[in-house]
Amino acid sequence: MAACIFCKIIKGDIPSFKLFESERVFAFLDIQPLAQGHALVIPKYHGAKLLDIPDEQLAEVMPVAKRIAKAVGAENYNILQNNGRLAHQIVDHVHFHVIPKPNEKDGLGIGWPAQETDMEKLKEYFKEVKAKM
Ligand code: 5GP
Ligand code: ZN
């Protein structure tokens, strides 16, 4: 997709600190890291959200994320993939963040507003979703 910044990075039209490239996957350092070693793994196939990407184009993504976590020597780290503005997605080309968490301050800060357990509600919802799987 011509206007997409990550497609331009894949093509080499915009420079990047490339860590890995294969037929279907590209990985590079994030330009505004949350911590040293923060990298992005992207399918070369253009799509805005996860559901827009065919399964076979995603198969190599996690193995590459693992390689990066190892290469940057992260003991604690988060893998993050945002979909949609409300979910903090800014670049509309699917990408997986590998974000080292070296200390309390650096890396990803997470809000985790857990709701009370409601077994009846869970049971009903489970049936509804399971039927669509
Ligand atoms: P999102 O919020 O969409 O999940 O994250 C997009 C990420 O892409 C951000 O962490 C941002 O720093 C990174 N990013 C945006 N533009 C560029 C760029 O031109 N080069 C690199 N290397 N990273 C970028
Ligand atoms: Zn793209």
Side-chain angles (χ1 to χ4, degrees), residues 1 4 6-7 12 17 49 53 59 71 81 95 116 121-122 131:
M1 197 197 170
C4 170
F6 285 178
C7 283
F17 291 103
K49 293 184 180 177
I53 313 293
Q81 198 267 312
H95 50 282
E116 288 296 311
K121 212 167 133 190
L122 264 182

Side-chain angles (χ1 to χ4, degrees), residues 58-108:
L58 290 168
E60 211 186 340
V61 168
M62 279 302 131
V64 173
K66 282 174 67 182
R67 280 177 69 150
I68 291 170
K70 192 173 177 195
V72 302
E75 190 181 334
N76 300 280
Y77 53 96
N78 297 98
I79 306 290
L80 177 70
Q81 198 267 312
N82 300 326
N83 295 274
R85 294 289 173 268
L86 269 179
H88 210 286
Q89 182 178 17
I90 291 163
V91 176
D92 289 332
H93 181 127
V94 164
H95 50 282
F96 293 74
H97 295 260
V98 180
I99 312 171
K101 184 72 182 166
N103 54 52
E104 281 289 335
K105 184 171 91 33
D106 298 316
L108 184 66

Side-chain angles (χ1 to χ4, degrees), residues 16-53:
S16 71
F17 291 103
K18 179 169 83 176
L19 295 171
F20 179 87
E21 180 173 14
S22 68
E23 197 189 325
R24 291 178 170 170
V25 169
F26 196 96
F28 54 106
L29 290 177
D30 195 298
I31 206 168
Q32 288 187 291
L34 296 183
Q36 189 176 59
H38 182 171
L40 301 171
V41 185
I42 64 179
K44 287 186 170 176
Y45 185 101
H46 176 89
K49 293 184 180 177
L50 192 58
L51 295 193
D52 300 325
I53 313 293

